């Protein structure tokens, strides 16, 4: 089956509308981030449990402070004990969607600034709580 360029573009638009309408983009991004963070031995079971949590809690599961520390370590590839605000923003966008931005809550967090581990954890924890307030307890 051959799809011409115009038909392919229309199909892409329909898919984009569907994904946006149902909020699936952030869900898939969150699933992928959680999968890569935890690297479970049984990824299909992990994803099924993740989706069960989403269904029962009404939002994607929040990360714990310990998981945020692990995430910090993944971004701190030079082991200097800091990551850039730009890196933190990218992590946040991956977890909760492309509209997420640490600077919207704290304008002093310019992309060229760096964050230590505990500041990273506090900023990300606050942003995750704001994105999914019903899961505030799960993230403590």
């Amino acid at each position: 089956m051959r799809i011409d360029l115009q038909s392919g573009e229309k199909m892409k638009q329909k898919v984009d509308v569907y994904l946006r309408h149902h909020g699936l983009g952030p869900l898939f991004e969150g699933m992928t981030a959680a999968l890569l963070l935890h690297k479970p031995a049984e990824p299909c079971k992990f994803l099924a449990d993740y989706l069960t949590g989403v269904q029962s809690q009404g939002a994607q599961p929040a990360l714990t402070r310990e998981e945020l520390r692990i995430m910090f370590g993944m971004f701190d590839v030079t082991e200097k004990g800091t990551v850039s605000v730009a890196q933190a923003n990218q992590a946040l966008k991956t977890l909760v969607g492309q509209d997420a931005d640490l600077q919207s809550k704290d304008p002093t967090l310019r992309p060229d600034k760096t964050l230590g581990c505990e500041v990273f954890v506090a900023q990300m924890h606050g942003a995750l709580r704001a994105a999914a307030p019903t899961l505030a307890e799960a993230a403590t």
Side-chain angles (χ1 to χ4, degrees):
M1 177 180 174
R2 186 178 175 125
I3 299 175
D4 64 60
L5 195 56
Q6 190 174 16
S7 295
E9 192 58 37
K10 284 182 184 177
M11 191 182 313
K12 181 184 179 311
Q13 288 173 352
K14 286 181 181 181
V15 168
D16 288 344
V17 167
Y18 180 83
L19 291 173
R20 267 185 277 142
H21 177 74
H22 293 286
L24 296 175
L27 173 67
F28 290 146
E29 290 170 353
M31 287 173 55
T32 303
L35 188 63
L36 295 175
L37 178 67
H38 293 283
K39 296 180 180 74
E42 297 180 45
C44 291
K45 181 182 181 329
F46 177 86
L47 291 173
D49 291 344
Y50 183 96
L51 288 172
T52 299
V54 169
Q55 186 175 23
S56 67
Q57 297 173 353
Q60 71 185 43
L63 295 173
T64 65
R65 290 180 184 272
E66 186 56 33
E67 290 168 328
L68 290 170
R69 286 183 188 93
I70 292 168
M71 181 182 281
F72 175 87
M74 293 168 64
F75 281 103
D76 183 20
V77 293
T78 60
E79 298 183 358
K80 291 183 178 178
T82 62
V83 297
S84 70
V85 170
Q87 287 173 300
N89 267 330
Q90 188 56 49
L92 186 61
K93 288 176 190 297
T94 299
L95 293 169
V96 297
Q98 292 302 309
D99 294 335
D101 185 2
L102 291 174
Q103 290 129 308
S104 64
K105 298 280 187 218
D106 185 350
T108 65
L109 294 176
R110 295 186 321 270
D112 60 323
K113 282 190 137 188
T114 58
L115 306 173
C117 183
E118 292 310 310
V119 174
F120 172 88
V121 168
Q123 290 288 337
M124 295 293 285
H125 181 258
L128 290 171
R129 286 179 63 155
T134 59
L135 300 178
E137 287 300 308
T140 48

